[in-house]
PDB file of all heavy atoms in Angstrom:
ATOM      1  N   GLY R   5     117.266  35.590-136.984  1.00 41.00           N
ATOM      2  CA  GLY R   5     118.627  35.925-137.418  1.00 41.00           C
ATOM      3  C   GLY R   5     119.513  34.804-137.718  1.00 41.00           C
ATOM      4  O   GLY R   5     120.208  34.877-138.766  1.00 41.00           O
ATOM      5  N   ALA R  21     131.335  26.582-155.375  1.00 38.00           N
ATOM      6  CA  ALA R  21     131.478  25.464-156.316  1.00 38.00           C
ATOM      7  C   ALA R  21     131.189  25.754-157.734  1.00 38.00           C
ATOM      8  O   ALA R  21     131.948  25.456-158.598  1.00 38.00           O
ATOM      9  CB  ALA R  21     130.535  24.324-155.913  1.00 38.00           C
ATOM     10  N   ALA R  88     149.802  27.978-146.642  1.00 97.00           N
ATOM     11  CA  ALA R  88     148.859  28.422-147.624  1.00 97.00           C
ATOM     12  C   ALA R  88     147.881  27.533-148.125  1.00 97.00           C
ATOM     13  O   ALA R  88     148.249  26.395-148.576  1.00 97.00           O
ATOM     14  CB  ALA R  88     149.695  29.091-148.753  1.00 97.00           C
ATOM     15  N   GLY R 100     152.168  27.086-154.454  1.00 83.00           N
ATOM     16  CA  GLY R 100     153.484  27.140-154.076  1.00 83.00           C
ATOM     17  C   GLY R 100     154.434  27.843-155.053  1.00 83.00           C
ATOM     18  O   GLY R 100     155.242  28.677-154.613  1.00 83.00           O
ATOM     19  N   GLU R 108     160.412  36.940-150.674  1.00 82.00           N
ATOM     20  CA  GLU R 108     161.885  36.890-150.664  1.00 82.00           C
ATOM     21  C   GLU R 108     162.517  36.704-149.305  1.00 82.00           C
ATOM     22  O   GLU R 108     163.689  36.499-149.265  1.00 82.00           O
ATOM     23  CB  GLU R 108     162.491  38.331-151.218  1.00 82.00           C
ATOM     24  CG  GLU R 108     162.309  39.465-150.342  1.00 82.00           C
ATOM     25  CD  GLU R 108     161.034  40.315-150.855  1.00 82.00           C
ATOM     26  OE1 GLU R 108     160.039  39.528-151.271  1.00 82.00           O
ATOM     27  OE2 GLU R 108     160.958  41.527-150.483  1.00 82.00           O
ATOM     28  N   PRO R 119     141.446  17.058-149.292  1.00 96.00           N
ATOM     29  CA  PRO R 119     141.360  15.677-149.208  1.00 96.00           C
ATOM     30  C   PRO R 119     140.502  15.114-150.322  1.00 96.00           C
ATOM     31  O   PRO R 119     140.487  13.854-150.639  1.00 96.00           O
ATOM     32  CB  PRO R 119     140.701  15.369-147.894  1.00 96.00           C
ATOM     33  CG  PRO R 119     140.002  16.602-147.688  1.00 96.00           C
ATOM     34  CD  PRO R 119     140.730  17.697-148.159  1.00 96.00           C
ATOM     35  N   ALA R 136     125.686  19.977-143.103  1.00 89.00           N
ATOM     36  CA  ALA R 136     126.800  19.221-143.767  1.00 89.00           C
ATOM     37  C   ALA R 136     127.991  19.998-144.033  1.00 89.00           C
ATOM     38  O   ALA R 136     129.081  19.680-143.911  1.00 89.00           O
ATOM     39  CB  ALA R 136     126.224  18.613-144.953  1.00 89.00           C
ATOM     40  N   LEU R 138     128.874  22.983-142.561  1.00 95.00           N
ATOM     41  CA  LEU R 138     129.579  23.328-141.353  1.00 95.00           C
ATOM     42  C   LEU R 138     130.447  22.078-140.845  1.00 95.00           C
ATOM     43  O   LEU R 138     131.616  22.330-140.413  1.00 95.00           O
ATOM     44  CB  LEU R 138     128.631  23.734-140.324  1.00 95.00           C
ATOM     45  CG  LEU R 138     128.033  25.056-140.566  1.00 95.00           C
ATOM     46  CD1 LEU R 138     126.909  25.317-139.548  1.00 95.00           C
ATOM     47  CD2 LEU R 138     129.016  26.245-140.394  1.00 95.00           C
ATOM     48  N   ALA R 149     144.802  21.488-138.925  1.00 98.00           N
ATOM     49  CA  ALA R 149     145.371  21.761-137.586  1.00 98.00           C
ATOM     50  C   ALA R 149     146.187  20.631-137.065  1.00 98.00           C
ATOM     51  O   ALA R 149     147.242  20.699-136.496  1.00 98.00           O
ATOM     52  CB  ALA R 149     144.286  22.083-136.613  1.00 98.00           C
ATOM     53  N   ARG R 159     159.748  20.164-137.695  1.00 90.00           N
ATOM     54  CA  ARG R 159     160.413  21.274-138.289  1.00 90.00           C
ATOM     55  C   ARG R 159     160.742  22.454-137.224  1.00 90.00           C
ATOM     56  O   ARG R 159     159.804  22.904-136.653  1.00 90.00           O
ATOM     57  CB  ARG R 159     159.732  21.922-139.454  1.00 90.00           C
ATOM     58  CG  ARG R 159     159.149  20.898-140.569  1.00 90.00           C
ATOM     59  CD  ARG R 159     160.374  20.471-141.347  1.00 90.00           C
ATOM     60  NE  ARG R 159     159.898  19.737-142.515  1.00 90.00           N
ATOM     61  CZ  ARG R 159     159.668  18.443-142.489  1.00 90.00           C
ATOM     62  NH1 ARG R 159     159.827  17.726-141.396  1.00 90.00           N
ATOM     63  NH2 ARG R 159     159.150  17.795-143.590  1.00 90.00           N
ATOM     64  N   PRO R 160     162.035  22.707-137.161  1.00 90.00           N
ATOM     65  CA  PRO R 160     162.317  23.895-136.287  1.00 90.00           C
ATOM     66  C   PRO R 160     161.762  25.218-136.803  1.00 90.00           C
ATOM     67  O   PRO R 160     162.087  25.567-138.017  1.00 90.00           O
ATOM     68  CB  PRO R 160     163.876  23.979-136.342  1.00 90.00           C
ATOM     69  CG  PRO R 160     164.195  23.257-137.528  1.00 90.00           C
ATOM     70  CD  PRO R 160     163.201  22.237-137.803  1.00 90.00           C
ATOM     71  N   ARG R 162     160.347  29.252-136.206  1.00 93.00           N
ATOM     72  CA  ARG R 162     160.459  30.498-135.546  1.00 93.00           C
ATOM     73  C   ARG R 162     158.971  31.198-135.508  1.00 93.00           C
ATOM     74  O   ARG R 162     158.417  31.434-136.403  1.00 93.00           O
ATOM     75  CB  ARG R 162     161.432  31.456-136.235  1.00 93.00           C
ATOM     76  CG  ARG R 162     162.936  30.951-136.253  1.00 93.00           C
ATOM     77  CD  ARG R 162     163.800  32.075-136.733  1.00 93.00           C
ATOM     78  NE  ARG R 162     165.183  31.786-136.730  1.00 93.00           N
ATOM     79  CZ  ARG R 162     166.120  32.544-137.319  1.00 93.00           C
ATOM     80  NH1 ARG R 162     165.770  33.645-137.797  1.00 93.00           N
ATOM     81  NH2 ARG R 162     167.422  32.156-137.333  1.00 93.00           N
ATOM     82  N   GLY R 189     150.073  32.222-135.689  1.00 97.00           N
ATOM     83  CA  GLY R 189     150.499  33.493-135.343  1.00 97.00           C
ATOM     84  C   GLY R 189     149.811  34.630-135.915  1.00 97.00           C
ATOM     85  O   GLY R 189     149.760  35.702-135.328  1.00 97.00           O
ATOM     86  N   ALA R 195     138.808  36.253-149.633  1.00 97.00           N
ATOM     87  CA  ALA R 195     137.610  35.875-150.129  1.00 97.00           C
ATOM     88  C   ALA R 195     136.941  34.740-149.411  1.00 97.00           C
ATOM     89  O   ALA R 195     136.359  33.789-149.927  1.00 97.00           O
ATOM     90  CB  ALA R 195     137.805  35.521-151.517  1.00 97.00           C
ATOM     91  N   PHE R 214     143.685  38.776-137.189  1.00 98.00           N
ATOM     92  CA  PHE R 214     143.130  38.481-138.384  1.00 98.00           C
ATOM     93  C   PHE R 214     143.237  39.665-139.385  1.00 98.00           C
ATOM     94  O   PHE R 214     142.736  40.752-138.927  1.00 98.00           O
ATOM     95  CB  PHE R 214     141.664  38.021-138.315  1.00 98.00           C
ATOM     96  CG  PHE R 214     141.455  36.656-137.533  1.00 98.00           C
ATOM     97  CD1 PHE R 214     141.481  36.904-136.102  1.00 98.00           C
ATOM     98  CD2 PHE R 214     141.282  35.557-138.152  1.00 98.00           C
ATOM     99  CE1 PHE R 214     141.220  35.649-135.320  1.00 98.00           C
ATOM    100  CE2 PHE R 214     141.146  34.488-137.442  1.00 98.00           C
ATOM    101  CZ  PHE R 214     141.098  34.453-136.105  1.00 98.00           C
ATOM    102  N   VAL R 215     143.690  39.519-140.558  1.00 98.00           N
ATOM    103  CA  VAL R 215     143.625  40.675-141.586  1.00 98.00           C
ATOM    104  C   VAL R 215     143.038  39.994-142.876  1.00 98.00           C
ATOM    105  O   VAL R 215     143.620  39.117-143.444  1.00 98.00           O
ATOM    106  CB  VAL R 215     144.911  41.253-141.890  1.00 98.00           C
ATOM    107  CG1 VAL R 215     144.701  42.258-142.875  1.00 98.00           C
ATOM    108  CG2 VAL R 215     145.575  41.805-140.674  1.00 98.00           C
ATOM    109  N   ALA R 216     141.722  40.263-143.054  1.00 98.00           N
ATOM    110  CA  ALA R 216     140.974  39.669-144.213  1.00 98.00           C
ATOM    111  C   ALA R 216     141.098  40.589-145.413  1.00 98.00           C
ATOM    112  O   ALA R 216     141.162  41.826-145.362  1.00 98.00           O
ATOM    113  CB  ALA R 216     139.641  39.366-143.779  1.00 98.00           C
ATOM    114  N   HIS R 247     140.031  44.320-145.338  1.00 98.00           N
ATOM    115  CA  HIS R 247     140.229  45.315-146.506  1.00 98.00           C
ATOM    116  C   HIS R 247     139.250  44.946-147.594  1.00 98.00           C
ATOM    117  O   HIS R 247     139.397  43.780-148.180  1.00 98.00           O
ATOM    118  CB  HIS R 247     141.719  45.289-146.951  1.00 98.00           C
ATOM    119  CG  HIS R 247     142.639  45.655-145.797  1.00 98.00           C
ATOM    120  ND1 HIS R 247     143.099  46.879-145.482  1.00 98.00           N
ATOM    121  CD2 HIS R 247     143.297  44.858-144.969  1.00 98.00           C
ATOM    122  CE1 HIS R 247     143.821  46.947-144.360  1.00 98.00           C
ATOM    123  NE2 HIS R 247     144.017  45.811-144.146  1.00 98.00           N
ATOM    124  N   ASP R 250     137.100  48.036-154.041  1.00 98.00           N
ATOM    125  CA  ASP R 250     136.061  48.477-154.897  1.00 98.00           C
ATOM    126  C   ASP R 250     136.228  47.814-156.330  1.00 98.00           C
ATOM    127  O   ASP R 250     137.445  47.686-156.830  1.00 98.00           O
ATOM    128  CB  ASP R 250     135.901  50.037-155.028  1.00 98.00           C
ATOM    129  CG  ASP R 250     135.417  50.555-153.767  1.00 98.00           C
ATOM    130  OD1 ASP R 250     134.862  49.883-152.947  1.00 98.00           O
ATOM    131  OD2 ASP R 250     135.757  51.786-153.591  1.00 98.00           O
TER     132      ASP R 250
END
Side-chain angles (χ1 to χ4, degrees):
E108 66 267 28
L138 287 172
R159 305 285 191 272
R162 292 186 181 178
F214 296 81
V215 182
H247 299 274
D250 291 340

